[in-house]
Amino acid sequence: MNAERRPSDAAAAPTPRERANAIRVLAIDAVQQAASGHPGAPMGMADIAEVLWGRHLRHNPANPAWVDRDRFVLSNGHASMLLYALLHLSGYDLPIEQLKRFRQLHSATPGHPEVGETPGVETTTGPLGQGLANAVGMALAERLLAAEFNRGPHAIVDHHTYVFVGDGCLMEGLSHEAASLAGTLRLGKLIVFYDANGISIDGGIEGWFTDDTPRRFGAYGWHVIDAVDGHDAAAIERAVLAARANAERPTLIVCRTVIGYGSPNRAGTEGVHGAPLGADEVAATRKALGWTAPPFEIPEAIAQAWDARATGAALERDWRERFAAYERDHPALAEAFGRRTGLDGHALLPADWIGRIDALLGEDLGDTPVATRKAGQEAIGRLASLLPELLGGSADLTGSNLTNWSGCREVTATQPGNYLHYGVREFGMAAAMNGIALHGGYLPFGGTFLVFSDYARNAIRMAALMRQRVIHVLTHDSIGVGEDGPTHQPVEHAASLRLIPNLDVWRPCDRVETLVAWISAVERVGRDAGPSALLLSRQNLPALVIDPALRPHVRRGGYVLRDASDARALIIATGSEVMLATEAAAALAADGIAVRVVSMPCTALFDRQPRAYRDSVLPEGLPRVAVEAGVTDVWRKYVGLDGAVVGLDRFGASAPASALYREFGLTADAVAQAVRRLLR
Ligand SMILES: Cc1ncc(C[n+]2csc(CCOP(=O)(O)OP(=O)(O)O)c2C)c(N)n1
């Protein structure tokens, strides 16, 4: 404790407890003012936060984007006031007025931390367990980026990832996926503080959470420091030092804490988890803590002791000097690092991206039939040479998803690379990819079967909310899966993924559309940033986008694939059913009925096109039929109540794919019939 006293004002220097109490009072005052929020965890974890942020965290409040900062993740996001207090006290651009407006519209202090809303917030948390999995992705990205760019004496990537978790995070199944992966990969610079306060919302956890958590993490291969008194700064300090000294394994520090520490009548009870203390208890808590300053006022000495701006600026300045030396010795690497990490506003896409993509789209891709999952693999191979930041993987379905490419290198505990075997951990993979994207330096993509996207769904949603460029390769995209049967045949998944705002869902019909889907997903940077899901077929599909002039149109998400000047109806289709639409159109044409075929691989992207373009593709007054091997409701938006949808509003069955398409009436004939009925 003496170590932090400055010689000049030894008498005035606040104690760690006094510094921690600043967090406690800010949390209770902000929650009281908002009349909503969670004071218990911030009060319980304040002493831990004081040690970590006050003595270890390497960050620069003036530049939350400094690439080599330590990452701090508050996985128990309901404790948001803990983080806001820390950011405010450290000197981030989060003035006290914002804390007074906790949880109010357009404030920088939303109910749960949201990346992009508050400077210094590394990831959006609140859905318990996901912050931990994000942090695994961040620590992994740090490890890989360091291996890729550090050279000799130049350690330009060298930081830790610190995480706070509560009982709730560790009850979530996701914590198993994330911790198991981190243990296997030996992510030694990941340090997790477990707020073991024995309380969750329903009360004392002994009725629903009696795992031996230290042994559980030990079994994952973690370094576990058990039974640390989470209110003893010296004990916490020792634990952090021991954690940092172990570079071989991730560390779990089990901190015994009291929820609502400092509140005379509520501490240690579920009553302090998620409700304001009330005016009387706030006053009693102030008294118990010996805190005399009025609400939202921090005594000068304490404010000064927290102020991290000077040390933060010095840390970054030192890094910039080291980076300049690196740049002198390794100019090409430094340039690549700058682009990959968006250093100082550097564009994320490679120089001459447009020219290279034009060249790619000008190539002859051939006209042989191909499963779009295979076309996806070809696209990855083409893009990998342009994008060394591609960090691929699969949830144990590499040979089915076809997410690997020639020249990819497997990541293991001892070997860096650019391809991850995530194991059968769909949710863990998706949440870790969010962390990788948030960390920067890599463009993560990962594969599984479309039907299992449900396992990952909340992490996909979080990527969309956080506007992170993450690419989900979701293969086996319909009853076309065939013999594996209804457990493996997605029916509602394409539709339900399309309901997630800011997620681009692609269901391409052939090689050209698949390549365009990949390019569009890569291009989601800046204003259009966000995740993409590429829904790819198991079965072979014919080449349909033959005319090279069509290729730029594919990039608008929906376009006229086959036209007829005297079209009397139009058919909208996606993926494997575009083939049915073109066959139906041919059959109708033979009967003298001209129809237009619209391929709509990405409805979200089509919806972002200007009105005039959309109207030109889907003109008013032309009867419309949609066909997709999935639930029909979503297509009402495009065909209207008077249109028809050929789809599948039931689960599939186990049989060869061709038998299923016939059985469920997903045929060119059925599509043609639907058009005829409409015209009658
Ligand atoms: C996935 C998920 N499920 C449920 C919730 C709602 N919730 C928020 S906090 C909480 C209890 C968490 O308990 P703990 O981690 O022990 O937090 P503490 O009571 O110590 O603050 C729950 C169920 C949530 N935020 N996320």
Side-chain angles (χ1 to χ4, degrees), residues 38 40-41 76 78 112 126-129 165-169 171-172 195 197-201 205 259 273:
H38 301 76
N76 47 348
H78 58 278
H112 293 82
L128 296 172
V165 302
D167 297 302
C169 293
M171 279 186 244
E172 286 291 348
D195 183 32
N197 61 24
I199 294 289
S200 64
I201 291 181
I205 58 173
I259 190 170
H273 161 91

